[in-house]
Amino acid sequence: MSRLDLSDRTTALETAVRAAEGRIEPALLDEARAIATRARERGGLSAEHTVVALAGATGSGKSSVLNAVAGVAVAQPGVRRPTTSHPMAAVWGAGADPLLDWLEVGRRHQVGAPSVETPDPTADVPASSTDDGGRGPFRRRTPVGDNSGLVLLDLPDHDSIVTEHRMRAERLVQRADLLVWVVDPQKYADAALHEGFLRPLAGRAEVVVVALNQADRLTPDETSAMLADLKRLVAQDGLEGARVLAVSAKTGQGMDELRGLLAKAAAKREAATARLAADERAVAQKIVDECGTPPPSRQGNQAKGDLVAALEAAAGVATVVDAVRASARRDARAATGWPLTRWVGRLRKDPLRRLGLRTADREHRAPSGRDDLVRTSLPTARPAVRSAAASAVRRYVEEVTRGAADPWVLAARSRGQAGIGTLPDALDQAVATTRVEASRRPVWWSLVNTVQWTLIAVVAAGLLWLLVLFGFAYLQLPPPPTPVLTLPTWSGSDGIVFPGAPESGAGDGLGVDPFRIPWPTLMVLGGLALGLLLALVCRVFGTLGARRRAMGARRRLRQSVGAVADELVRKPVGDELARLASCRTAATVAAS
């Protein structure tokens, strides 16, 4: 996996900050903006120079270490405290002025090519001097190459009693590429150092060096023990792996190792990028932690189903589906039922019309096609049902934001519950504008209706025929010839007579007259029987068709209610979750 470019990392951090605006503590966002801005500004300055800051407490010997590294008396250590009020820069190589202007370091010393004097460890040192800063006998040495690009800063004391001095030190600690913390045997475990400065640098071990100065005052065993304890404290600060070494600006002990570290850092020219990347990783990880953990996707799907089901109950979908089923049965019976009893069904009002869900009724209430004006005649949702819908909204928000940090949860809850007040009207309009009727009448209804009326015509003709025969008989006139349907009969062994031809071996068929029925009577009885039978069969099919219509209506109503849930609840919450995901993703990239 290729390393992330600093520019891309900075862009990702800025994206995370924009997405987290108003959702994460302003102090953290301000810190992230400052780091991103610092990365942009530092990236536009000299990449050939490496800024190394010597930081430490009062009396730790920062200025003396600077002089020892530079090989010349650049800084003048003083007796009065604080000794350093303004930062001092020792510069190797040209072209560092714009960088120093950005650092706001006015005191600058250009370290030249000629050999310079450094303290001679074998020289005598006045007894009153504990740190001469290079003001004694010198020996020839060129500690760092002329064009190395090293910028070595001597910072004000971080524990200075002067607030302005401390602020200068803190600002330069933030902007330096490499930090060298100079500590002394008396204050190396000071809580102000570890809690106020080293601990906030956790995760930046590659750009931190801790130098235990004044090692000449310790025995070798004391030095080893103190270095081990210092490494332990530094590791506890989150800087495990940071280089810790013992030095003495007075005797030169460990100075060659420190010079080598600085020369190597200056030669590689990677300290600036490493420091900025470490700063961005640290603050980006804080943002990732503030985002929380993403909820499982299945959790959101289940919450959506529960939300839509609760809104269906609030919208009265079950009532509408029952009305669709009853109305479809009513329409089927009106089209396929026995014509002589159809009028009884018409006495009952159409359930869909009672709810105002017939297409003709909707067009009458909103003739201009304004669907937003259409309303149903459904009873107002009971308070308990409306309360259940509001609870479902809250449960949905809680489920889909589970694991997120509280600010994101509160923001999503606020947006999700903002539409609860408009839910009843929106749901009613969704039901009112949903097509719940069948788009067309079934063809078999028309065919059955034709057959039913044909049977009624046959019955009427048979009755008329019988009436004519009755008239002839009543007037005692010779009746006109009447055709008769003759059916052969047979008798079983128990003496029961059956019309029709006997089956092989069934009864003897002796002494039984044929079964005769006049055609007018057959027309009346047969027409009535067939009409009633057909009506019963069609009632069964009508019930099945009504069930299918109800299922289709329920499906369409669920889609409409789901659209309301999407618009008023899921989309606002989804926007917030998308913003959270954007923040988490960008911050994760920046923290990688």
Side-chain angles (χ1 to χ4, degrees):
M1 180 179 177
S2 60
R3 295 186 62 182
L4 187 65
D5 181 79
L6 180 62
S7 176
D8 294 337
R9 190 185 301 276
T10 303
T11 300
L13 180 59
E14 292 170 337
T15 299
V17 170
R18 286 194 296 270
E21 189 70 42
R23 304 293 181 266
I24 290 179
E25 289 295 331
L28 178 57
L29 296 182
D30 290 343
E31 179 185 359
R33 289 192 197 95
I35 291 174
T37 300
R38 189 159 63 243
R40 297 287 187 193
E41 293 175 349
R42 181 66 179 90
L45 297 170
S46 174
E48 301 299 319
H49 290 83
T50 300
V51 179
V52 180
L54 295 174
T58 302
S60 60
K62 300 185 303 299
S63 299
S64 298
V65 172
L66 173 65
N67 291 337
V69 172
V72 64
V74 176
Q76 299 298 324
V79 178
R80 298 179 57 188
R81 304 300 185 205
T83 58
T84 305
S85 59
H86 293 274
M88 172 71 185
V91 184
W92 283 261
D97 287 341
L99 179 59
L100 290 171
D101 291 340
W102 177 69
L103 293 171
E104 299 180 17
V105 176
R107 299 171 60 200
R108 308 168 187 180
H109 180 85
Q110 190 74 35
V111 180
S115 298
V116 295
E117 302 290 342
T118 58
D120 187 347
T122 64
D124 295 330
V125 180
S128 61
S129 174
T130 59
D131 193 349
D132 68 0
R135 294 191 305 269
F138 289 81
R139 61 187 176 87
R140 298 290 178 179
R141 173 172 296 190
T142 304
V144 183
D146 293 337
N147 298 316
S148 66
L150 178 65
V151 176
L152 193 58
L153 303 180
D154 180 19
L155 306 188
D157 303 330
H158 68 71
D159 60 349
S160 174
I161 60 174
V162 181
T163 303
E164 184 180 359
H165 296 181
R166 292 199 308 272
M167 293 179 63
R168 290 171 185 160
E170 292 171 0
R171 178 174 53 80
L172 289 173
V173 164
Q174 292 177 344
R175 296 192 173 195
D177 303 331
L178 183 66
L179 296 170
V180 178
W181 289 94
V182 181
V183 299
D184 60 74
Q186 291 77 30
K187 296 183 179 180
Y188 78 91
D190 187 21
L193 167 67
H194 291 276
E195 295 179 4
F197 289 91
L198 293 184
R199 200 159 295 167
L201 292 173
R204 303 167 178 83
E206 68 271 22
V207 294
V208 173
V209 177
V210 182
L212 177 63
N213 193 21
Q214 303 173 12
D216 57 287
R217 298 181 177 182
L218 306 173
T219 65
D221 290 342
E222 290 174 338
T223 301
S224 298
M226 199 166 289
L227 281 178
D229 191 41
L230 182 56
K231 289 180 180 179
R232 178 185 62 83
L233 294 174
V234 170
Q236 289 179 352
D237 293 333
L239 294 170
E240 186 173 1
R243 289 152 294 186
V244 180
L245 62 155
V247 300
S248 173
K250 178 179 179 181
T251 65
Q253 176 186 346
M255 295 308 301
D256 286 339
E257 183 180 359
L258 180 59
R259 291 189 191 98
L261 289 175
L262 301 185
K264 183 179 180 180
K268 292 178 67 176
R269 294 181 173 86
E270 294 179 353
T273 300
R275 171 64 195 279
L276 292 170
D279 287 346
E280 290 184 341
R281 282 198 301 270
V283 74
Q285 186 58 51
K286 293 180 183 178
I287 295 177
V288 172
D289 295 340
E290 287 293 319
C291 290
T293 57
S297 58
R298 289 180 300 177
Q299 187 170 290
N301 294 334
Q302 178 64 36
K304 176 186 176 182
D306 294 342
L307 173 65
V308 174
L311 296 185
E312 282 183 331
V317 169
T319 300
V320 176
V321 171
D322 290 342
V324 170
R325 185 183 296 108
S327 181
R329 286 199 303 265
R330 178 181 181 275
D331 291 344
R333 292 172 185 174
T336 63
W338 198 38
L340 298 182
T341 58
R342 290 180 185 178
W343 61 274
V344 177
R346 294 192 180 95
L347 294 179
R348 293 190 297 268
K349 190 173 182 180
D350 184 358
L352 279 181
R353 179 154 291 154
R354 186 167 58 248
L355 298 178
L357 294 177
R358 280 291 189 184
T359 302
D361 297 335
R362 290 202 301 266
E363 292 176 352
H364 177 73
R365 291 196 301 271
S368 61
R370 290 282 304 277
D371 288 343
D372 56 320
L373 300 179
V374 178
R375 289 294 183 271
T376 71
S377 299
L378 283 166
T380 304
R382 299 186 306 275
V385 176
R386 300 180 66 177
S387 176
S391 298
V393 172
R394 286 190 289 270
R395 286 196 302 273
Y396 172 79
V397 175
E398 290 174 0
E399 290 295 324
V400 298
T401 59
R402 181 170 296 173
D406 288 344
W408 296 97
V409 174
L410 293 176
R413 183 180 301 167
S414 175
R415 297 194 63 181
Q417 294 180 355
I420 289 181
T422 60
L423 266 177
D425 285 343
L427 291 173
D428 188 78
Q429 184 179 347
V431 172
T433 55
T434 300
R435 180 179 58 82
V436 294
E437 297 177 85
S439 56
R440 58 184 179 82
R441 288 167 58 90
V443 175
W444 68 273
W445 284 10
S446 300
L447 296 177
V448 170
N449 184 54
T450 301
V451 172
Q452 287 283 31
W453 281 108
T454 300
L455 292 175
I456 289 296
V458 171
V459 171
L463 289 175
L464 180 61
W465 197 342
L466 290 176
L467 182 62
V468 171
L469 293 177
F470 176 77
F472 274 91
Y474 183 78
L475 297 176
Q476 297 183 357
L477 296 175
T482 303
V484 176
L485 177 64
T486 303
L487 296 176
T489 59
W490 60 277
S491 62
S493 58
D494 53 3
I496 300 177
V497 179
F498 299 92
E503 295 182 4
S504 176
D508 53 18
L510 299 176
V512 178
D513 294 332
F515 182 78
R516 296 181 178 85
I517 180 171
W519 272 100
T521 304
L522 181 63
M523 292 171 62
V524 173
L525 297 179
L528 293 176
L530 289 177
L532 291 174
L533 179 62
L534 183 60
L536 292 175
V537 172
C538 290
R539 173 170 293 193
V540 174
F541 283 101
T543 300
L544 296 177
R547 186 177 302 172
R548 285 197 304 272
R549 286 195 190 184
M551 292 174 60
R554 184 181 185 86
R555 184 171 57 254
R556 291 189 294 272
L557 287 169
R558 187 176 182 84
Q559 292 174 350
S560 298
V561 171
V564 172
D566 290 344
E567 180 182 357
L568 296 183
V569 181
R570 295 187 67 246
K571 186 177 183 301
V573 175
D575 290 344
E576 197 64 35
L577 294 179
R579 184 175 174 181
L580 170 59
S582 174
C583 177
R584 182 189 291 113
T585 301
T588 301
V589 170
S592 61

